[in-house]
Amino acid sequence: MVEPRLLVSPGTSSMLPWFGLLLGLLAIPFAFFLGLKALIRARLGGYKHEFVRPDPSAPLTKEALRSVAVLGGGVAGLTAALTLARRGYPVTLYEKKAFLGGKLGSQREPVLAGQETWVSHGFHAFFPHYHSFRRLLDSVRICELESIDDYVICEKSGAMTRFRGVEPTPVLNLFGLLRRGLFSLKDAVSAPGRDLYGVFLEYEADATFRRYDSVSYAEFARRGRVPPRLKLAFNTFARAFFADEEKLSLAQLIKAFHFYYLSQDGGLLYEYPIRDYEAGLMRPIAEELESLGAEVRTLDPVREFSRTLEGFQVNGRPYGAVVVALDAPALGPLFLDAPGLPEETRRRIGSVRAGQRYVVWRIWIDKDIRESVPVFVITERERALDAVTAFHRFEVETKEDLKSGRADPKTRAVLELHCYAVPDDLVDAEIKPTLFGELLRRFPELEGASVLHEWYVVEQNFSAFHVGLEADRPTVETGVPGLYCAADWVKLPFPAMLLEAAAASGYLAANGILAEDGLRLEPIVTVPLKGLMAGMPAPKTRVELLGA
């Protein structure tokens, strides 16, 4: 008979109770941590909220559907057009440019010694909580996405602030900012910070905009004596509005911080397409629209719009419904005097303002940026440079240009420099030298680099989210049957930004038309509508400091 062996020696058996006690003690903070995460999730009602839950008994389509004109071929317009075309509506999409996608679009330009290559309007991050935008992508055959290794801010000193490894749970992620030295405990518990920083946890649309839309982000930073490195983090979210600090509404910044950092547990890491936007995203959408019988009219700007007894007229053609998804600068000339519309509708849509100029400058240079820099890095701005993208490290088309010899053989890097809000006093002739000088100071390994090819664009077509504009911002529903708005300039009934705001507004506009026709709505999922501490009374000191 084989004797059973002891798992521990007799001399160590007395240690087992102590070992168990040690494990128990270690489990206490872990259990507390898990409990805290569960409590935060419960307080927010979960991280995904069903804003629209379709009635499964409602029909998907019916015969003799009215025709729909979608004005604008950006993400919002494409979302509305594709949704309605899939339901059987005769859809006509109007787009003034030769390509679709708007700020997510791409076009071929003869920048490589006369040879054409694909260039886009800048790098875009696809965050995990972009629920509507992700739904659009999932519904079409798009290219492969890759995940960013790290979310990095390059400071003026050259130091890199990295967010990889930050606990993604809302509120707990604030300790990640603390550990990285963006603020101190003293900053958080001492006046005036202790009385002001709570605004970021208290987001609730009506109250937040009523109190803080008249206050600029710059004024908040001054009165709150925001530490420089914490201000650097806030600036990252402020850039989503393409506005300088003096112009940006504090309420909009609170919404952005809630949406990106305090309402979801996916963190700041994101995905991005490895193909050019035209090949990887827009072409599949355009092909499906055409296969569904939709008419895609590129190079056909909307020149005339009116409401008629039968419906609407666009460029002399009749339609039963219209989705307005144009850039901000196009709205005033078209709608302020649009025949047949109520005065209030004309005023609201026609008064949408464009923000500041922004710049995208793609350069082919004979030196490479250091390997430790991710494909996209945010830069602490001196005057103009906000971000740098290294396209030669991930984009298929750029790599093919270099491999095939279409680009100058001396090319070592293809970088895209971004300025999201050009200062009003920076004249056009100074923009390139300013951007390039800041690039060299951030990345000294590029000193002496020569620009071999370039593509450069200055635009002013992003919506303004400046102080005091929210009250008059149009909503998706215009009050006119059959007329809906879809764009990132629309006031949504839930927090969303950039690509997510565009896609969500497109689904909401399509739902408006579907609802009028008695058809099943499209589902819409959002982040929590309110912050963790929404409804808390504002401290007296905050009211005195901000006047709100």
Side-chain angles (χ1 to χ4, degrees):
M1 180 177 179
V2 179
E3 293 289 333
R5 291 183 298 169
L6 292 173
L7 295 178
V8 294
S9 66
T12 59
S13 60
S14 61
M15 296 176 60
L16 287 176
W18 295 103
F19 184 67
L21 178 61
L22 178 61
L23 287 178
L25 290 173
L26 291 174
I28 291 174
F30 183 68
F32 176 78
F33 178 71
L34 292 180
L36 191 57
K37 291 179 67 170
L39 184 64
I40 292 169
R41 184 186 185 95
R43 170 66 179 167
L44 290 170
Y47 298 119
K48 292 183 179 181
H49 288 217
E50 281 189 297
F51 189 81
V52 175
R53 180 184 295 179
D55 178 0
S57 66
L60 287 171
T61 189
K62 64 181 182 181
E63 294 183 1
L65 289 168
R66 53 184 163 164
S67 60
V68 180
V70 177
L71 316 185
V75 170
L78 289 171
T79 303
L82 194 57
T83 301
L84 293 170
R86 285 170 174 168
R87 296 296 194 92
Y89 284 87
V91 172
T92 302
L93 178 69
Y94 289 88
E95 170 53 51
K96 68 178 179 180
K97 294 185 177 179
F99 57 91
L100 299 176
K103 300 174 190 69
L104 198 61
S106 183
Q107 63 202 91
R108 289 188 67 82
E109 293 286 344
V111 296
L112 301 181
Q115 297 190 64
E116 290 188 337
T117 190
W118 289 102
V119 290
S120 62
H121 260 60
F123 182 86
H124 291 270
F126 297 178
F127 285 94
H129 63 291
Y130 279 10
H131 302 304
S132 292
F133 181 67
R134 291 283 190 156
R135 183 165 177 260
L136 171 67
L137 297 184
D138 290 343
S139 73
V140 294
R141 177 178 46 83
I142 66 164
C143 70
E144 180 184 349
L145 302 178
E146 286 193 0
S147 297
I148 195 78
D149 292 332
D150 200 355
Y151 191 93
V152 175
I153 303 174
C154 181
E155 301 180 35
K156 291 178 183 178
S157 64
M160 297 284 191
T161 298
R162 299 180 179 274
F163 287 81
R164 182 171 54 190
V166 170
E167 165 59 44
T169 302
V171 180
L172 300 183
N173 53 15
L174 297 176
F175 290 97
L177 304 184
L178 177 66
R179 289 183 60 191
R180 282 155 179 76
L182 272 65
F183 68 97
S184 67
L185 282 176
K186 182 180 179 181
D187 296 324
V189 301
S190 302
R194 70 178 180 217
D195 300 317
L196 295 187
Y197 299 158
V199 297
F200 294 100
L201 291 164
E202 299 165 10
Y203 176 76
E204 190 277 319
D206 290 342
T208 296
F209 281 95
R210 184 177 66 253
R211 292 173 178 170
Y212 306 119
D213 196 42
S214 61
V215 181
S216 73
Y217 163 46
E219 187 65 22
F220 170 83
R222 282 193 295 268
R223 296 186 184 186
R225 297 200 291 271
V226 176
R229 298 197 73 224
L230 181 58
K231 187 178 178 184
L232 176 62
F234 285 152
N235 287 347
T236 300
F237 300 98
R239 286 175 179 155
F241 298 101
F242 291 62
D244 285 337
E245 300 169 15
E246 295 287 350
K247 297 181 179 181
L248 176 61
S249 158
L250 173 60
Q252 295 288 358
L253 178 63
I254 294 170
K255 181 179 76 171
F257 202 68
H258 170 78
F259 178 68
Y260 283 108
Y261 209 63
L262 294 175
S263 66
Q264 52 91 22
D265 64 346
L268 288 178
L269 301 187
Y270 53 82
E271 293 181 311
Y272 56 91
I274 64 171
R275 296 292 306 272
D276 175 82
Y277 296 137
E278 170 63 23
L281 299 174
M282 294 304 136
R283 193 178 302 156
I285 293 175
E287 289 173 352
E288 182 174 352
L289 279 171
E290 291 173 349
S291 72
L292 293 168
E295 184 180 3
V296 179
R297 299 178 65 89
T298 53
L299 294 174
D300 193 357
V302 180
R303 301 176 299 277
E304 174 266 328
F305 172 86
S306 62
R307 185 187 183 195
T308 65
L309 292 176
E310 296 78 20
F312 304 91
Q313 189 161 297
V314 177
N315 289 358
R317 301 173 69 177
Y319 294 96
V322 171
V323 176
V324 182
L326 298 168
D327 283 337
L331 297 171
L334 195 63
F335 281 93
L336 282 175
D337 297 314
L341 290 182
E343 180 180 353
E344 179 65 11
T345 303
R346 288 190 281 111
R347 184 188 67 81
R348 277 186 177 267
I349 300 178
S351 298
V352 173
R353 291 167 45 187
Q356 293 170 250
R357 295 170 295 163
Y358 65 89
V359 169
V360 180
W361 186 24
R362 189 176 294 202
I363 54 175
W364 286 252
I365 58 177
D366 56 2
K367 289 192 175 184
D368 197 0
I369 205 165
R370 57 186 180 270
E371 282 293 330
S372 61
V373 177
V375 297
F376 177 77
V377 60
I378 295 167
T379 55
E380 182 181 7
R381 178 197 279 205
E382 293 178 34
R383 197 176 183 205
L385 185 63
D386 286 318
V388 178
T389 309
F391 273 86
H392 61 293
R393 292 188 179 168
F394 72 91
E395 190 183 71
V396 171
E397 288 78 9
T398 299
K399 291 180 177 181
E400 289 176 351
D401 285 341
L402 298 177
K403 185 177 180 180
S404 67
R406 285 193 294 270
D408 190 302
K410 296 191 292 292
T411 302
R412 295 294 176 267
V414 181
L415 305 179
E416 198 167 77
L417 314 186
H418 307 261
C419 177
Y420 297 123
V422 179
D424 292 339
D425 62 350
L426 185 60
V427 299
D428 288 347
E430 295 178 357
I431 295 176
K432 284 185 183 180
T434 301
L435 286 171
F436 201 71
E438 292 183 34
L439 175 72
L440 298 183
R441 286 190 288 278
R442 289 295 175 284
F443 307 102
E445 65 270 22
L446 298 179
E447 188 67 43
S450 298
V451 176
L452 306 172
H453 310 286
E454 64 175 333
W455 182 77
Y456 177 78
V457 63
V458 181
E459 293 274 14
Q460 193 171 2
N461 56 13
F462 192 77
S463 316
F465 291 91
H466 298 170
V467 171
L469 296 183
E470 186 69 8
D472 286 334
R473 194 173 299 281
T475 58
V476 172
E477 296 181 349
T478 66
V480 176
L483 181 64
Y484 294 88
C485 295
D488 50 21
W489 43 260
V490 169
K491 183 193 297 186
L492 296 175
F494 46 78
M497 300 289 304
L498 299 177
L499 292 174
E500 176 62 7
S505 68
Y507 281 122
L508 285 171
N511 275 351
I513 295 172
L514 294 170
E516 287 184 1
D517 292 339
L519 299 179
R520 188 185 307 175
L521 304 184
E522 291 291 315
I524 295 178
V525 175
T526 78
V527 300
L529 274 64
K530 298 180 180 181
L532 194 72
M533 297 174 63
M536 296 286 288
K540 182 180 178 181
T541 310
R542 185 195 301 170
V543 176
E544 293 171 351
L545 284 170
L546 298 180

